[in-house]
Amino acid sequence: MRASRALLAAFALALVVDLACLAVGLRSGHAAAKVLLMPLLAASAARAGAPRLLVAALLCGWGGDVLLLSDAGPAFMAGMASFAAGHVCYLVLFRRQGPPHARARLLAFAYAAALVALVVLLWPDLPGGLRVPVAGYSTLLTAMAYTAAARLGPLAGLGGALFMLSDTLIATGVADWPQLPRPDFWIMLTYAAAQYLLVRGTLDARPAPATAYREVRSATP
């Protein structure tokens, strides 16, 4: 547990450095700090006993982080694919956490409406070659965010929502919409918070040891 906390503290420190570099426009410092974030969070989660799919999702996020350091079009597509693979890992993991809660149907309508509104509004302003990939990626991301909220609870649900917000900020930049000052600062802040909350929500949703023991015993012939 101490190792997990030490790694989590290192993640927090790297995030502070990354955000500070973005705030002052130090791109080289941002690049150096950014590539440390997901490996540190993944290592912390692994030391805390996280499921392999959770670690895999974080490492897919790291792959996307590295690829998006490049401004080249193919790197952007590859980065989006890497994040999409992470969302698939999250989806499979979250669906194993038990049935959705009672208000999941209302949540489904809300997330579906947000997805449709986003795609409809962005579509005309996106480059032609990115319209279908962004729409497909957005659908996968929204499904992940909804499943986190419906099956894991408020922390993971907030993490999924922040992930949607972070990627929406990226998409509006690609569509050349007006941006907040220092847009990369807000993208990284919401993204790092999203990944941390998804980790925390997943770990908190694990059954207590006694419960897990009873489940294993009841499944034994």
Side-chain angles (χ1 to χ4, degrees), residues 140-161:
L140 184 58
L141 170 59
T142 304
M144 181 280 289
Y146 160 73
T147 307
R151 293 179 182 253
L152 269 71
L155 277 183
L158 178 58

PDB file of all heavy atoms in Angstrom, residues 140-161:
ATOM      1  N   LEU A 140     -18.172   5.628 -28.566  1.00  0.00           N
ATOM      2  CA  LEU A 140     -17.501   4.701 -27.653  1.00  0.00           C
ATOM      3  C   LEU A 140     -17.202   5.376 -26.317  1.00  0.00           C
ATOM      4  O   LEU A 140     -17.418   4.795 -25.242  1.00  0.00           O
ATOM      5  CB  LEU A 140     -16.219   4.195 -28.300  1.00  0.00           C
ATOM      6  CG  LEU A 140     -15.411   3.133 -27.543  1.00  0.00           C
ATOM      7  CD1 LEU A 140     -16.260   1.900 -27.273  1.00  0.00           C
ATOM      8  CD2 LEU A 140     -14.166   2.765 -28.337  1.00  0.00           C
ATOM      9  N   LEU A 141     -16.712   6.602 -26.357  1.00  0.00           N
ATOM     10  CA  LEU A 141     -16.416   7.346 -25.139  1.00  0.00           C
ATOM     11  C   LEU A 141     -17.676   7.560 -24.309  1.00  0.00           C
ATOM     12  O   LEU A 141     -17.664   7.387 -23.081  1.00  0.00           O
ATOM     13  CB  LEU A 141     -15.785   8.694 -25.502  1.00  0.00           C
ATOM     14  CG  LEU A 141     -15.618   9.722 -24.381  1.00  0.00           C
ATOM     15  CD1 LEU A 141     -14.747   9.186 -23.256  1.00  0.00           C
ATOM     16  CD2 LEU A 141     -15.031  11.021 -24.939  1.00  0.00           C
ATOM     17  N   THR A 142     -18.770   7.930 -24.961  1.00  0.00           N
ATOM     18  CA  THR A 142     -20.024   8.160 -24.237  1.00  0.00           C
ATOM     19  C   THR A 142     -20.529   6.869 -23.606  1.00  0.00           C
ATOM     20  O   THR A 142     -21.029   6.879 -22.477  1.00  0.00           O
ATOM     21  CB  THR A 142     -21.081   8.738 -25.189  1.00  0.00           C
ATOM     22  OG1 THR A 142     -20.571   9.938 -25.785  1.00  0.00           O
ATOM     23  CG2 THR A 142     -22.367   9.059 -24.444  1.00  0.00           C
ATOM     24  N   ALA A 143     -20.397   5.760 -24.323  1.00  0.00           N
ATOM     25  CA  ALA A 143     -20.807   4.471 -23.763  1.00  0.00           C
ATOM     26  C   ALA A 143     -19.987   4.133 -22.520  1.00  0.00           C
ATOM     27  O   ALA A 143     -20.515   3.638 -21.517  1.00  0.00           O
ATOM     28  CB  ALA A 143     -20.661   3.373 -24.815  1.00  0.00           C
ATOM     29  N   MET A 144     -18.681   4.411 -22.580  1.00  0.00           N
ATOM     30  CA  MET A 144     -17.833   4.167 -21.413  1.00  0.00           C
ATOM     31  C   MET A 144     -18.257   5.037 -20.232  1.00  0.00           C
ATOM     32  O   MET A 144     -18.392   4.565 -19.098  1.00  0.00           O
ATOM     33  CB  MET A 144     -16.372   4.442 -21.769  1.00  0.00           C
ATOM     34  CG  MET A 144     -15.369   4.203 -20.640  1.00  0.00           C
ATOM     35  SD  MET A 144     -15.223   5.527 -19.413  1.00  0.00           S
ATOM     36  CE  MET A 144     -14.410   6.799 -20.372  1.00  0.00           C
ATOM     37  N   ALA A 145     -18.479   6.331 -20.506  1.00  0.00           N
ATOM     38  CA  ALA A 145     -18.849   7.259 -19.434  1.00  0.00           C
ATOM     39  C   ALA A 145     -20.189   6.876 -18.817  1.00  0.00           C
ATOM     40  O   ALA A 145     -20.354   6.906 -17.587  1.00  0.00           O
ATOM     41  CB  ALA A 145     -18.897   8.682 -19.973  1.00  0.00           C
ATOM     42  N   TYR A 146     -21.138   6.503 -19.661  1.00  0.00           N
ATOM     43  CA  TYR A 146     -22.453   6.080 -19.140  1.00  0.00           C
ATOM     44  C   TYR A 146     -22.325   4.819 -18.289  1.00  0.00           C
ATOM     45  O   TYR A 146     -22.902   4.733 -17.199  1.00  0.00           O
ATOM     46  CB  TYR A 146     -23.415   5.825 -20.300  1.00  0.00           C
ATOM     47  CG  TYR A 146     -24.571   4.949 -19.897  1.00  0.00           C
ATOM     48  CD1 TYR A 146     -25.592   5.448 -19.090  1.00  0.00           C
ATOM     49  CD2 TYR A 146     -24.629   3.605 -20.278  1.00  0.00           C
ATOM     50  CE1 TYR A 146     -26.640   4.626 -18.691  1.00  0.00           C
ATOM     51  CE2 TYR A 146     -25.666   2.785 -19.887  1.00  0.00           C
ATOM     52  CZ  TYR A 146     -26.674   3.305 -19.089  1.00  0.00           C
ATOM     53  OH  TYR A 146     -27.695   2.493 -18.674  1.00  0.00           O
ATOM     54  N   THR A 147     -21.571   3.848 -18.773  1.00  0.00           N
ATOM     55  CA  THR A 147     -21.432   2.588 -18.027  1.00  0.00           C
ATOM     56  C   THR A 147     -20.746   2.816 -16.687  1.00  0.00           C
ATOM     57  O   THR A 147     -21.112   2.204 -15.676  1.00  0.00           O
ATOM     58  CB  THR A 147     -20.643   1.570 -18.865  1.00  0.00           C
ATOM     59  OG1 THR A 147     -21.242   1.453 -20.150  1.00  0.00           O
ATOM     60  CG2 THR A 147     -20.643   0.203 -18.196  1.00  0.00           C
ATOM     61  N   ALA A 148     -19.762   3.718 -16.655  1.00  0.00           N
ATOM     62  CA  ALA A 148     -19.100   4.043 -15.385  1.00  0.00           C
ATOM     63  C   ALA A 148     -20.101   4.618 -14.394  1.00  0.00           C
ATOM     64  O   ALA A 148     -20.129   4.236 -13.215  1.00  0.00           O
ATOM     65  CB  ALA A 148     -17.968   5.032 -15.623  1.00  0.00           C
ATOM     66  N   ALA A 149     -20.948   5.535 -14.862  1.00  0.00           N
ATOM     67  CA  ALA A 149     -21.926   6.158 -13.975  1.00  0.00           C
ATOM     68  C   ALA A 149     -23.016   5.184 -13.558  1.00  0.00           C
ATOM     69  O   ALA A 149     -23.466   5.193 -12.406  1.00  0.00           O
ATOM     70  CB  ALA A 149     -22.548   7.366 -14.673  1.00  0.00           C
ATOM     71  N   ALA A 150     -23.435   4.330 -14.484  1.00  0.00           N
ATOM     72  CA  ALA A 150     -24.569   3.450 -14.226  1.00  0.00           C
ATOM     73  C   ALA A 150     -24.210   2.250 -13.361  1.00  0.00           C
ATOM     74  O   ALA A 150     -25.067   1.714 -12.649  1.00  0.00           O
ATOM     75  CB  ALA A 150     -25.160   2.966 -15.547  1.00  0.00           C
ATOM     76  N   ARG A 151     -22.958   1.827 -13.387  1.00  0.00           N
ATOM     77  CA  ARG A 151     -22.601   0.585 -12.700  1.00  0.00           C
ATOM     78  C   ARG A 151     -21.634   0.773 -11.529  1.00  0.00           C
ATOM     79  O   ARG A 151     -21.611  -0.058 -10.635  1.00  0.00           O
ATOM     80  CB  ARG A 151     -22.002  -0.408 -13.702  1.00  0.00           C
ATOM     81  CG  ARG A 151     -23.024  -0.890 -14.726  1.00  0.00           C
ATOM     82  CD  ARG A 151     -22.406  -1.844 -15.731  1.00  0.00           C
ATOM     83  NE  ARG A 151     -23.362  -2.265 -16.724  1.00  0.00           N
ATOM     84  CZ  ARG A 151     -23.928  -3.487 -16.787  1.00  0.00           C
ATOM     85  NH1 ARG A 151     -23.626  -4.393 -15.879  1.00  0.00           N
ATOM     86  NH2 ARG A 151     -24.792  -3.774 -17.740  1.00  0.00           N
ATOM     87  N   LEU A 152     -20.840   1.856 -11.552  1.00  0.00           N
ATOM     88  CA  LEU A 152     -19.850   2.009 -10.490  1.00  0.00           C
ATOM     89  C   LEU A 152     -20.222   3.078  -9.476  1.00  0.00           C
ATOM     90  O   LEU A 152     -19.816   2.984  -8.320  1.00  0.00           O
ATOM     91  CB  LEU A 152     -18.466   2.323 -11.066  1.00  0.00           C
ATOM     92  CG  LEU A 152     -17.593   1.099 -11.362  1.00  0.00           C
ATOM     93  CD1 LEU A 152     -18.142   0.334 -12.563  1.00  0.00           C
ATOM     94  CD2 LEU A 152     -16.162   1.515 -11.649  1.00  0.00           C
ATOM     95  N   GLY A 153     -20.921   4.119  -9.879  1.00  0.00           N
ATOM     96  CA  GLY A 153     -21.315   5.139  -8.923  1.00  0.00           C
ATOM     97  C   GLY A 153     -20.746   6.507  -9.223  1.00  0.00           C
ATOM     98  O   GLY A 153     -20.152   6.741 -10.279  1.00  0.00           O
ATOM     99  N   PRO A 154     -20.913   7.445  -8.270  1.00  0.00           N
ATOM    100  CA  PRO A 154     -20.620   8.863  -8.528  1.00  0.00           C
ATOM    101  C   PRO A 154     -19.171   9.166  -8.900  1.00  0.00           C
ATOM    102  O   PRO A 154     -18.924   9.969  -9.806  1.00  0.00           O
ATOM    103  CB  PRO A 154     -21.000   9.543  -7.207  1.00  0.00           C
ATOM    104  CG  PRO A 154     -21.960   8.614  -6.544  1.00  0.00           C
ATOM    105  CD  PRO A 154     -21.535   7.242  -6.952  1.00  0.00           C
ATOM    106  N   LEU A 155     -18.206   8.565  -8.213  1.00  0.00           N
ATOM    107  CA  LEU A 155     -16.807   8.893  -8.517  1.00  0.00           C
ATOM    108  C   LEU A 155     -16.436   8.513  -9.941  1.00  0.00           C
ATOM    109  O   LEU A 155     -15.898   9.326 -10.706  1.00  0.00           O
ATOM    110  CB  LEU A 155     -15.868   8.193  -7.533  1.00  0.00           C
ATOM    111  CG  LEU A 155     -15.618   8.856  -6.180  1.00  0.00           C
ATOM    112  CD1 LEU A 155     -14.618   8.043  -5.383  1.00  0.00           C
ATOM    113  CD2 LEU A 155     -15.110  10.280  -6.372  1.00  0.00           C
ATOM    114  N   ALA A 156     -16.705   7.273 -10.301  1.00  0.00           N
ATOM    115  CA  ALA A 156     -16.406   6.833 -11.662  1.00  0.00           C
ATOM    116  C   ALA A 156     -17.271   7.577 -12.666  1.00  0.00           C
ATOM    117  O   ALA A 156     -16.814   7.891 -13.774  1.00  0.00           O
ATOM    118  CB  ALA A 156     -16.612   5.329 -11.785  1.00  0.00           C
ATOM    119  N   GLY A 157     -18.523   7.877 -12.292  1.00  0.00           N
ATOM    120  CA  GLY A 157     -19.389   8.631 -13.180  1.00  0.00           C
ATOM    121  C   GLY A 157     -18.835  10.008 -13.471  1.00  0.00           C
ATOM    122  O   GLY A 157     -18.855  10.475 -14.620  1.00  0.00           O
ATOM    123  N   LEU A 158     -18.320  10.676 -12.444  1.00  0.00           N
ATOM    124  CA  LEU A 158     -17.691  11.981 -12.643  1.00  0.00           C
ATOM    125  C   LEU A 158     -16.444  11.844 -13.506  1.00  0.00           C
ATOM    126  O   LEU A 158     -16.172  12.689 -14.373  1.00  0.00           O
ATOM    127  CB  LEU A 158     -17.347  12.605 -11.293  1.00  0.00           C
ATOM    128  CG  LEU A 158     -16.642  13.972 -11.334  1.00  0.00           C
ATOM    129  CD1 LEU A 158     -17.483  14.992 -12.085  1.00  0.00           C
ATOM    130  CD2 LEU A 158     -16.336  14.452  -9.918  1.00  0.00           C
ATOM    131  N   GLY A 159     -15.681  10.773 -13.291  1.00  0.00           N
ATOM    132  CA  GLY A 159     -14.509  10.542 -14.123  1.00  0.00           C
ATOM    133  C   GLY A 159     -14.875  10.398 -15.594  1.00  0.00           C
ATOM    134  O   GLY A 159     -14.240  10.982 -16.470  1.00  0.00           O
ATOM    135  N   GLY A 160     -15.920   9.625 -15.878  1.00  0.00           N
ATOM    136  CA  GLY A 160     -16.364   9.470 -17.257  1.00  0.00           C
ATOM    137  C   GLY A 160     -16.829  10.784 -17.860  1.00  0.00           C
ATOM    138  O   GLY A 160     -16.529  11.094 -19.019  1.00  0.00           O
ATOM    139  N   ALA A 161     -17.568  11.580 -17.075  1.00  0.00           N
ATOM    140  CA  ALA A 161     -18.050  12.876 -17.565  1.00  0.00           C
ATOM    141  C   ALA A 161     -16.888  13.822 -17.858  1.00  0.00           C
ATOM    142  O   ALA A 161     -16.897  14.549 -18.866  1.00  0.00           O
ATOM    143  CB  ALA A 161     -19.006  13.486 -16.544  1.00  0.00           C
TER     144      ALA A 161
END
